[in-house]
Amino acid sequence: MSDLQCPIPKRDYDRVLTAHGGGGRLMQQLLADIFFPAFANDLLGRRHDAAVLTLEGGAAGPRLAFTTDSYVIRPLFFPGGSIGHLAVYGTVNDLAMAGARPLVLSAGFILEEGFPIEELQRVVADMRDAAAAAQVQIVTGDTKVVEHGREDGLYVNTAGIGAIEHNLTIEPQSVRPGDAIILSGDIARHGIAVMSVREGLEFESAIESDCAPLAGLVGDLLAEGLQVHCLRDLTRGGLAAGVIEIAQTAGLQVHLRERDIPVRDDVLGACEILGLDPLYVANEGRCVAFVPAEQADRAVATMRSHPAGAAATVIGHVTAGADPGLVTLETVTGTSRVVDLLSGEQLPRIC
């Protein structure tokens, strides 16, 4: 008889895998086992997209949001954007998810010897244009060059600082039972757009990334006076990972409705061909907002008045429940299933 293998996914590895950066269970394990214990502090423990710093004056003092992210996408240019757009919008959006108005960014470049100058100029021009669109300035940076064969052409790191100009505490711990969950638009376009170029796939219609800045959209929600409890942009791991992380951190349950989650027909068809679940495919211009149920209609109307939220809709709600962290999905056929983190990742190197 041949050796039997346990179907339970392997958890422990003695080497880093690509899947450790995919936003799924392995990445969460890496954070929980190595980074969070080593760097433990109150700010990091909030497990939000940006750390919120309170300046002089104690709890009532002015607050700043601070975040950083690195971009290793392959290919560097894809339908609807480039690594330059992602490097600006990604960090701007992380600040926005803390309810901050982005102010300034840093930019660090790791270049491989032999990388074409013309391509570097294109990336820098895209960053310039993206910064103008997001109304931020790139005020400091760094450049390193490594030997040929030691990198994959170009990696970019950006860090950002933003100002919090309201009294809300926008983070997973602020989510409450009964909150409505609002999705800003259709999902899964970014991952499919990148995959189509990387794998040389052609579809009947053009599928472009949704990458876009979200700070303006968040600013409109706050200006409307809405009690926003939490925000999360839906990058690696897609809608599923974003909602699961919030449910686990908040210690609450989330119930989603598949029929209310917008996915374009061509994107859904591409996912079916590639064997991908759109819930887990990355986005770069989509977010979810957790707001009190009685404010849901006003929040949807506010989002729809902004270009980045034109297809906003309520996709679910939060409950107390007996199983904190559980996320369930009511399917289009009326059944219910658990939405869990993937062990690995569906698409590597997409941001």
Side-chain angles (χ1 to χ4, degrees), residues 13-31:
Y13 296 86
D14 58 3
R15 295 283 190 278
V16 173
L17 307 179
T18 305
H20 279 115
R25 190 180 302 279
L26 285 184
M27 193 181 84
Q28 294 302 321
Q29 177 188 337
L30 200 68
L31 296 175

Side-chain angles (χ1 to χ4, degrees), residues 271-293:
C271 287
E272 290 174 350
I273 292 171
L274 296 169
L276 303 174
D277 185 338
L279 290 180
Y280 295 87
V281 177
N283 316 271
E284 289 292 342
R286 296 289 179 262
C287 68
V288 286
F290 291 71
V291 302

Side-chain angles (χ1 to χ4, degrees), residues 146-207:
V146 298
E147 297 89 343
H148 179 68
R150 296 294 182 89
E151 208 204 344
D152 196 15
L154 168 66
Y155 299 150
V156 181
N157 172 272
T158 51
I161 295 174
I164 297 177
E165 301 166 321
H166 51 78
N167 295 323
L168 302 177
T169 301
I170 298 175
E171 60 180 14
Q173 291 84 351
S174 295
V175 174
R176 295 289 180 266
D179 278 358
I181 305 169
I182 303 170
L183 173 64
S184 65
D186 63 296
I187 62 170
R189 267 197 283 139
H190 175 70
I192 295 301
V194 174
M195 194 68 175
S196 66
V197 177
R198 186 187 302 174
E199 302 301 327
L201 303 176
E202 293 185 0
F203 303 106
E204 291 185 1
S205 56
I207 299 177

